[in-house]
Amino acid sequence: MVKKPYISLYWKCQLIGWSVAALYWTFQGWSAAGNFKFDLAVVQFVSDVLMYILITHLYRNFANKNHWQNLSLEKLIWRMLIVIPLMGIFYTLVTIGKLYLVRLLFLSHPQQSFTDFFNVNAAGIFVAGIRLMAIWLLAYHLYHYAKREIRLSVENARLELSFKQSQLDNLSAQLNPHFLFNALNNIKSLVYTRPDAAGRAIDLLSELLRSGLYKGSAMLIKLNDEVELVKDYLELESLRMEERLTYELDIDISLSGLLVPRLCTQTLVENAVKHGVALAKQGGKIDVIVHEQDGFVSIRVLNPGKLKQDKKVAGIGIQNLKERLDLSYQHCASFSLYEIDQKVCAEIKIPIR
């Protein structure tokens, strides 16, 4: 099957818009002139379309190179107030040059010198150029502004839905019947042997459930709050698994106030317990390390084990985490999973902003 040539919306608008304008000028010439020349009209039409597409396309390349499409409306307006007169001057010079050249080619004895021709027509052509360039710039940037707003609205909606799904996933994990069964059985045995530990386990379990049920409205929370949640989770799991689970947290306290996606670290820790320590006969140690590296916050969770290359390691929680990172940080954050020193390391890198 032969593919049809693709023409983008931008080029369609350029060709159609300037062609309509050139046809309008041709019609004006036909209605005003007594001796209308068809060949001259064709030259004028083609040259007008090509020249003005070139002028506006050069501006588009300049604006894209300087990322003007991402500017706020206020900053963009100030730049347009400068650019429109400049483009009007360029339009005037190009148009007068083209018109005078056409006169030389099609009129054997031009009645005016270039200087006289320029003086007579410059003001009117400049005003027309200002009007045309302003209309073109307004249409071009309004389109991109509307497109950006729609894109941001869609991304915000996706982010909110993704976050709500993360809350549900977290609650599902916390309320997992097997998890609750083991936790309650452990608490029951601790009531007879270690009453203080049993009371602590109940406090930790209730705090985790309360956090999931009542403190889940913020998409971003302080790193310190996220770490406290992780500490409660690990302490509860260590009570359940006893000596099979040990853990150590190495947190840069200068980053405590930094905002991070809620549950991002706990998701990594839950996976480390489930796929690492719980599967090892003798259990193991979980390390949570949070440091700054080259303008990024590196959150690493290490657990004993090896990566299985033939097995899909990204579950629903990790998939959800990746999507929230992409949406929250415009693909500037990253998630990676790798082996280091006979341990599995899950790492999140978040730009400091």
Side-chain angles (χ1 to χ4, degrees), residues 113-175:
S113 65
F114 180 81
T115 303
D116 293 335
F117 184 79
F118 181 90
N119 293 333
V120 171
N121 297 285
I125 293 176
F126 177 73
V127 172
I130 290 289
R131 185 171 61 250
L132 284 170
M133 294 301 108
I135 292 171
W136 190 93
L137 287 171
L138 186 63
Y140 178 77
H141 284 294
L142 279 178
Y143 168 77
H144 282 283
Y145 185 81
K147 188 177 179 181
R148 185 180 66 181
E149 290 300 307
I150 292 172
R151 175 176 55 82
L152 290 175
S153 297
V154 171
E155 286 185 355
N156 287 337
R158 286 179 59 202
L159 179 59
E160 187 150 352
L161 288 172
S162 176
F163 177 72
K164 293 301 181 184
Q165 183 62 49
S166 175
Q167 286 183 290
L168 292 174
D169 291 340
N170 181 61
L171 286 173
S172 177
Q174 291 173 347
L175 295 173

Side-chain angles (χ1 to χ4, degrees), residues 65 83 208 225 349:
K65 185 178 180 180
V83 168
L208 279 169
D225 294 335
K349 285 188 176 181

